[in-house]
Amino acid sequence: MTFDMVRYYPSTKDAVAAYPKALRIRGVVFDMDGTLSSPIDKHLHKMRVVIKVPPGHRTLEYVDTCLQGEEREWAHKKLIEIETEALESMQISEGLVPLLRFLHEHSIPIAIITRNNSMAVDYFLKTVVGKLPKEEQRLFAFDPAIDRSFKPAKPAPDAMLYISEKWGIPPEQLLMVGDHGDDLLCGLRAGSVSALLRYEHNTQFENIAHIVVDKIDQLVNQLEHGFEANMTIIA
C-alpha cells in the first residue's frame, strides 16, 4: 500500500513567522463529551436502551427520521432527561487546560462541534469551567460552539466547513479532535486532520484517525513540533 504522507509544520508563532506559507494546523475544533469533558458512555448506552434504538442506527438520526409525532416528542424528552442526568458527573478532560493554554499562547482559534444540546454546552462552559481559576477560564474561548441544532450533524462535514468559512482557514489546516468515529468522519469528510482521544472502549476508530493520543495534552507535541499525516484515509 502506498501512503500519501503529508508534512504539517509546527503551529507555534516562531514557526509561523519563519515559514508563513507552510502547511500547518491553524485552528482546532473539539467534540465536547468524552473530549473536552469526561466520557458519558453509560448515558449514551442508556439512551439507546430507553428509546430502543435498533443496531446500526445512530440515536439522533433514528429519533429524527424513524419516529413520528408523539413518539418522536417522547424520545426527545428522554434524550434531554438522560443528558441532564449526565451533567451531574461532567468533569474537564485531564490535560485540557495545558493544551488550551498552548493554543491561546499561539493565537490558534478553537471551536466546539457537539451532538449534545445547547443546555449541556452552556452547563459545561459556565458551570464546569466556572469552577476553574479565572486565569484558566479565559482559555475556554470557543467560537463558535455548535450544538445539535445545527443540521446536518456529525458525521456530516457541514459544521466543520462552516467553521472553516467563518475563520477564513482552509479545511486542510484545521484539526478535529474527538473520541468517536463520527467526530473523525466529520473532519475527514471536510478534508481536515482528525485526532482520536483514545480510551479502552474506542480503539476501533484508530484506523480513521490521522493522530491518536491517550491524553489530550499530548497534542501539544504535534502542534509544537509538526507531524506527518496519512491523507489517503478514506471517510
Side-chain angles (χ1 to χ4, degrees):
M1 178 179 289
T2 300
F3 294 100
D4 185 13
M5 302 302 292
V6 176
R7 173 66 179 171
Y8 277 78
Y9 280 72
S11 297
T12 61
K13 285 183 175 179
D14 287 345
V16 171
Y19 305 100
K21 296 183 179 181
L23 179 64
R24 58 173 48 85
I25 297 300
R26 294 174 53 207
V28 181
V29 181
F30 295 89
D31 167 54
M32 187 174 74
D33 301 302
T35 303
L36 295 176
S37 64
S38 49
I40 59 168
D41 292 79
K42 66 178 183 179
H43 295 94
L44 296 176
H45 177 69
K46 183 176 180 179
M47 290 176 190
R48 297 185 65 87
V49 172
V50 170
I51 299 173
K52 299 180 180 179
V53 181
H57 288 262
R58 293 181 173 90
T59 301
L60 288 177
E61 280 80 352
Y62 174 73
V63 171
D64 288 337
T65 61
C66 298
L67 302 183
Q68 302 293 328
E70 292 183 358
E71 192 175 20
R72 180 188 294 177
E73 290 182 13
W74 173 85
H76 274 295
K77 288 180 181 179
K78 286 299 178 183
L79 285 176
I80 296 295
E81 286 179 10
I82 298 170
E83 287 168 338
T84 301
E85 179 184 307
L87 297 181
E88 298 175 3
S89 59
M90 182 179 270
Q91 296 179 340
I92 291 173
S93 183
E94 182 182 2
L96 179 59
V97 170
L99 172 59
L100 294 184
R101 182 175 290 114
F102 173 88
L103 297 173
H104 176 77
E105 290 173 351
H106 295 283
S107 301
I108 299 172
I110 55 176
I112 294 173
I113 302 176
T114 179
R115 293 165 63 90
N116 212 323
N117 63 73
S118 60
M119 179 186 66
V121 176
D122 287 342
Y123 183 88
F124 174 72
L125 294 176
K126 295 176 181 178
T127 303
V128 179
V129 174
K131 297 176 183 178
L132 296 173
K134 292 291 186 182
E135 183 275 331
E136 294 181 356
Q137 290 182 34
R138 67 185 179 89
L139 301 175
F140 289 74
F142 297 97
D143 183 25
I146 296 175
D147 60 57
R148 68 163 170 256
S149 62
F150 185 103
K151 304 294 184 183
K154 296 180 293 186
D158 299 60
M160 198 73 175
L161 295 173
Y162 168 79
I163 292 171
S164 171
E165 183 176 357
K166 178 180 174 68
W167 285 350
I169 299 175
E172 63 271 19
Q173 296 187 38
L174 297 180
L175 173 65
M176 178 70 207
V177 185
D179 69 317
H180 191 274
D182 286 351
D183 307 318
L184 306 178
L185 290 173
C186 175
L188 286 170
R189 291 171 179 174
S192 303
V193 177
S194 290
L196 173 68
L197 180 56
R198 179 170 55 191
Y199 298 99
E200 290 183 359
H201 63 266
N202 68 355
T203 56
Q204 70 270 29
F205 302 126
E206 291 179 19
N207 65 329
I208 55 171
H210 299 110
I211 299 171
V212 178
V213 295
D214 296 308
K215 189 179 171 189
I216 201 164
D217 60 350
Q218 291 174 357
L219 289 170
V220 171
N221 182 62
Q222 279 87 355
L223 295 169
E224 186 172 17
H225 301 290
F227 60 93
E228 289 188 342
N230 172 18
M231 301 309 287
T232 65
I233 296 175
I234 299 174

